[in-house]
Amino acid sequence: MLWERTRPAFKQERPWLRARNLALGALVALGRHTVSGMLSASGQQFVDWSAAYRLFALERFDSEALLAPARREVVGRLASTEPLVCMLDDTLLRKRGRKIAGTAWRRDPLGPPFCNNFIWAQRFVQVAAALPEDAGPSRARAVPIDMLHCPTPRRPRKNAPQELWDQYRQDALASRMSVRGAERVLALRRALDGDGEVGRGLVVSGDGSYTNTAMLTALPARTTF
């Protein structure tokens, strides 16, 4: 079972078992895949929910290690001469609470072209690996292998000290999606090398928002964008 390989992502066994039950609930949950929805789908709606919420609130697992088995499974199904082809893009997760970390008003990409709609959401950069259906040229299924929360820094007040404004401008430049995307490509290349796939090429596909100096000048070796 693929989930058995995620044990190194958790410091203790109890959070790992609790996350397994939630993951199984996510597969069969109907409607919105919230924590309460996953608990209800896994038959835990009448027990204390606090432990399940603490699992996400206190960072009890390593997100990169959690998705690493999916990446290794995709690579293991490729021929030794085939590169790993990935798609890079950012996505928004709608939220309702005004105190959720990293939430802000974002432009809705699904809104009509004649009007800019805004939604309250969190911003993530996601990498998905292409898993071919057959050998040679064929259709492929996109398998998520990396996801990073990319909030924007809070803008200081107008009368804030100058050092706060200087720090805000530095954080704003570092939080650009092209910069974050380049960091994830570098992390993916390092992960492949760490898995013994030094000779395997990496091909990353992204749209125009990532095709700039921040990405192209930071590409690691054996990587095509």
Side-chain angles (χ1 to χ4, degrees), residues 67-71 74 87 126-130 141-147:
L67 293 173
R71 182 192 69 247
V74 173
M87 290 72 71
Q126 181 178 1
V127 180
R141 181 181 297 273
V143 179
I145 60 172
D146 186 71
M147 195 169 187

Side-chain angles (χ1 to χ4, degrees), residues 31 60 79-81 89 116 133 137 173 186 219 221:
R60 294 175 179 265
S80 59
T81 56
D89 201 1
N116 285 330
E133 291 185 351
L173 290 175
L186 178 59
L219 283 179

